[in-house]
Amino acid sequence: MKRNLKIAFRTLLKGKLYTIINILGLTLGLTSCLLIGAVVFDELSYDTHWSHSKNLYRLLSIRENSGDYSQKGGTVFATLAPTLKHQFPEVVDYSEIYPAPIHLKIDKAGPVPLKATMLHADSAVMQLLDIRLLSHQDLTPSRDIKKIVISEQFSNTHFSGTNPLGKRIYDVPQYDEPNEYVIAGVMKDLPPNTHLRADALLLHERTEQELTNGGRGAHYARHYVLLRDGTDPTEFERKINAWYRDIPENDKGLQFGLQPMEDIYLKTDFPAYQLVKGNIRHSYIFMAVAAMLLLIACINYINLSTARASSRLKTTGVHKILGASRRQIMGQSLIESLLTFSAAGLIACLCYQLVLPSLQHFIGHPLAFRFGAGWPYLTAAFLVFLLICLFSGLYPAWLVSGFRAVGSINQVLKERSTNQKGLREALVVTQFALSIGILVALFVVQHQVDFLKNKDVGFDTEGLLSLNHVSWDNKASVLKAELAQHPDILSASFSTWLPTDGAGYMTRLIDDPRDPGNKTDLWYIAGDPDMAQTLGLRLKEGRFLNGSKPGDAIEATDLDAAFNSIRPCLITASTAHMLGITQLNVPLHEAKIIPVGIIDDFNSESLHNATVPTVIVGQRNPSYGALLIRSRPGTSQRVMRSVAATWKSLYPDKLIDMQIVRETLAKQYEAEEKLQEIFGGFSLLTMLLAALGVFGLVVHATSLRVKEIGIRKVLGASVSSIMRLLSADFVKLVLVAVVIASPIAWWAMNKWLEGFAYRIEIQWWMFAAAGAVAVTIALFTVSWQAVRAATANPVDSLRDE
């Protein structure tokens, strides 16, 4: 073995350039796989660490025949879970659990509150989740005292060196008066790989009221249930819905579902009031790209190893003449592969550790999964590494060991058979096809993101500001009057809705004219009568709501009128078409509206979703809600400072949450923007790896044709003709790769675009541009070595050895 290692080292050092190319390519591939693998495995590990994770489910509401909006929702009747526990032995326990952002002050007189996330839950949360208490007092929820359990990290950060138990902290709420909290416990930090990520736990009293009137009039809650071992969730779901259908007062279009705890993070593609959410499609994309990067690196190694096999025929022939068996020669070649892969693996591990902090900063949270976190992961990674090494080194080893001794020596300088050349060409085509596919994906993602950020959403975003939902404390009219005096504020309107808030503040089920016999949701947005003008909505027909007309707006606190009176409204063009409205000012009794104006469609949600049937109704004197402000173009920052000063004078104890609407809309597509950045990095890596492989092959091919090139130069060949000679074959291979990659990339990216209601069409130039980039890189790589060979002195190349 010692002799074999010595020979292997000598062989690798003899071909330093090829060894460096192989190690560099494999290092890039392995590092990329380690980093992407850490992210993907972390994503897949969300909420799998709870001891009851296999039996935990979130209750869902499923609205049948609800039009083109989402049928599922993450809330259910607050009385449903208690009833299920009493009615069905399959239910062990339940708990209302939800995280929410909060601003806290450690010192009540402190100037700057800190941002945190509070996990709201009832006392049964301890039975469902593995919350480990480090120290605590009495945790029994009380109406008079709000008791919280803070995380160990929160305690160390804000109460370092002191016992936090019994201390009081204060929130800065958007609604009502500030609340005082008593720290009743310290818990071990919740794992970062959970959608219930939080800094503190607020315990509420448990709701045990059972379902009545089919749930009508009940509050909604986010409930989780723990089922007994062996319970079939699909069968239990059918059982729940059969039971609910038998209740006389049931909501005919409503069903309930069970979402497994382990699916919540990655597979929630519906409204669920969920702060932490992933995307299973992105995880699949990352896994595919990691496999592609590693495959390209392995192809580089196989290509260079097989191409250099001819230069080792003399050595192999001597070994065979001296009695070496094929098995021994294969073993020697595999040792060289193992050394190359080991060097690349060690460097990749170092790069992984160095890049990991930057990766965690990029994704926005620490990774719970680490390859070095335990022996099972290390063992699995090592076995995969060995398999990759064996896969990459086996064919070159078999090829080198298969040469006949006499034939090897006599034909040492001849190129190997057509089959071996054909294999190398196929591998080069595969490399570039993968690289071109990722480059096409980059172009598609980039243009889709640009489209999303620049598409006309139906209202004017220039100079539009928003104040998030808050209670106005009987000062709404004073605030609006103060803002009206500012010369750069054109208008300000209170609203129950803000862009990115969702489709509206309430819905009403009405008959769907497109599908007789079924219902659809009609969404309502309420606000000041001039809200449509503040938003910059475009009127197609009729008139806007008018504050001077008493009937155009009701008192916001008059809930009976809000739900039962027939009200004037603005209606979107697509909604008017759907409902067959041909004449304005005619009541629609089922919808309880009188359309007085038709406005152009506008996107009330992100462009992932299509527009939904929407109407705008008027209200005045709201107790709570949001505020839209229209400022003069170019004055947004000045207006924001002025509004903040006015806010401070009216609401000294409340934080102001003010946003530029254009930036708020752009934040909806942060995931796609990150995907664009990732594909940019992937494209660079794949092209670099492909170029490294081509460079190695060109160096080898040139070394085999040194005398041929010298003879051609003596006979008058120009530098350009020799460059064409050496580059033509590679350019042909890249063009073949373009032909192969284009339909596959078109299909894959069309599947990705299906997740958007508004999307671009994939254009021919994206494939042409990707092909042009690939050809340019191949030509540049080949040309550099070709020019060196073409400008070499033919006397040196033709000199006898």
Side-chain angles (χ1 to χ4, degrees), residues 118-136:
M118 184 81 79
L119 187 65
H120 297 252
D122 60 44
S123 55
V125 69
M126 301 293 185
Q127 312 302 320
L128 274 64
L129 305 181
D130 307 309
I131 294 177
R132 182 182 162 196
L133 296 173
L134 301 178
S135 60
H136 66 93

Side-chain angles (χ1 to χ4, degrees), residues 393-504:
L394 198 56
Y395 177 71
W398 176 83
L399 185 65
V400 169
S401 66
F403 295 139
R404 289 178 293 110
V406 176
S408 298
I409 295 173
N410 289 338
Q411 301 173 23
V412 68
L413 296 177
K414 291 186 178 179
E415 182 61 62
R416 294 307 299 161
S417 66
T418 305
N419 287 339
Q420 291 152 20
K421 184 182 177 184
L423 174 64
R424 286 200 299 275
E425 290 179 345
L427 292 176
V428 170
V429 168
T430 302
Q431 277 184 313
F432 274 100
L434 294 173
S435 302
I436 290 165
I438 292 176
L439 197 54
V440 169
L442 171 63
F443 290 150
V444 173
V445 172
Q446 182 178 10
H447 282 79
Q448 176 65 13
V449 170
D450 289 343
F451 171 77
L452 294 174
K453 293 170 72 173
N454 297 311
K455 182 187 177 296
D456 179 12
V457 291
F459 54 88
D460 184 10
T461 59
E462 180 66 30
L464 187 62
L465 308 174
S466 67
L467 267 69
N468 209 349
H469 297 269
V470 69
S471 59
W472 301 117
D473 301 345
N474 298 317
K475 300 176 184 177
S477 58
V478 177
L479 174 63
K480 194 168 181 178
E482 290 281 341
L483 297 181
Q485 297 176 18
H486 196 289
D488 291 323
I489 295 178
L490 302 177
S491 64
S493 303
F494 294 108
S495 172
T496 58
W497 168 87
L498 289 177
T500 74
D501 258 4

Side-chain angles (χ1 to χ4, degrees), residues 69 271 273 469 496-506 523-525 602-606 609 612 614 668:
Y69 189 59
Y273 306 99
H469 297 269
T496 58
W497 168 87
L498 289 177
T500 74
D501 258 4
Y505 85 106
M506 64 168 277
W523 286 88
Y524 292 73
I525 293 173
F602 66 98
N603 295 100
S604 54
E605 300 178 279
S606 85
N609 305 314
V612 295
T614 305
Q668 296 178 110

Side-chain angles (χ1 to χ4, degrees), residues 471-736:
S471 59
W472 301 117
D473 301 345
N474 298 317
K475 300 176 184 177
S477 58
V478 177
L479 174 63
K480 194 168 181 178
E482 290 281 341
L483 297 181
Q485 297 176 18
H486 196 289
D488 291 323
I489 295 178
L490 302 177
S491 64
S493 303
F494 294 108
S495 172
T496 58
W497 168 87
L498 289 177
T500 74
D501 258 4
Y505 85 106
M506 64 168 277
T507 64
R508 184 172 272 125
L509 275 176
I510 62 172
D511 290 327
D512 188 349
R514 301 165 299 182
D515 191 5
N518 289 319
K519 300 275 189 181
T520 188
D521 283 317
L522 179 63
W523 286 88
Y524 292 73
I525 293 173
D528 285 348
D530 62 353
M531 185 189 71
Q533 293 97 312
T534 300
L535 268 174
L537 298 175
R538 296 183 286 267
L539 186 67
K540 288 188 68 175
E541 184 180 346
R543 65 175 179 85
F544 282 117
L545 297 176
N546 190 335
S548 63
K549 292 179 178 291
D552 276 10
I554 64 168
E555 288 294 321
T557 54
D558 189 348
L559 298 180
D560 182 65
F563 286 102
N564 299 313
S565 64
I566 298 179
R567 306 163 65 183
C569 76
L570 299 175
I571 189 168
T572 61
S574 61
T575 309
H577 177 73
M578 181 195 78
L579 297 177
I581 295 174
T582 57
Q583 186 177 352
L584 296 175
N585 301 301
V586 176
L588 295 177
H589 293 280
E590 186 183 25
K592 298 188 182 301
I593 55 173
I594 305 173
V596 298
I598 297 176
I599 54 176
D600 281 340
D601 287 349
F602 66 98
N603 295 100
S604 54
E605 300 178 279
S606 85
L607 297 177
H608 290 88
N609 305 314
T611 55
V612 295
T614 305
V615 297
I616 297 175
V617 293
Q619 66 176 29
R620 59 172 66 91
N621 301 323
S623 299
Y624 55 86
L627 182 67
L628 291 162
I629 299 172
R630 170 69 59 189
S631 64
R632 296 185 188 279
T635 65
S636 295
Q637 295 299 329
R638 185 163 65 245
V639 167
M640 290 176 75
R641 288 192 295 270
S642 178
V643 172
T646 302
W647 182 271
K648 187 67 176 175
S649 66
L650 291 174
Y651 303 100
D653 295 326
K654 287 187 178 180
L655 285 179
I656 182 171
D657 183 5
M658 184 162 39
Q659 304 290 334
I660 297 174
V661 169
R662 179 169 289 180
E663 294 178 358
T664 306
L665 294 173
K667 287 179 182 177
Q668 296 178 110
Y669 311 113
E670 284 181 343
E672 286 74 22
E673 286 187 311
K674 283 193 174 182
L675 189 64
Q676 175 186 336
E677 293 178 38
I678 290 168
F679 269 121
F682 288 159
S683 300
L684 182 63
L685 280 175
T686 54
M687 284 298 174
L688 178 59
L689 287 170
L692 276 173
V694 169
F695 177 74
L697 290 176
V698 171
V699 170
H700 178 72
T702 305
S703 69
L704 293 178
R705 304 176 75 172
V706 168
K707 284 185 169 57
E708 177 191 344
I709 293 169
I711 292 170
R712 287 178 180 273
K713 286 201 69 178
V714 169
L715 295 175
S718 64
V719 173
S720 60
S721 65
I722 292 173
M723 288 178 60
R724 283 196 300 271
L725 173 71
L726 293 174
S727 61
D729 288 343
F730 288 103
V731 171
K732 290 176 185 175
L733 295 179
V734 174
L735 293 176
V736 172

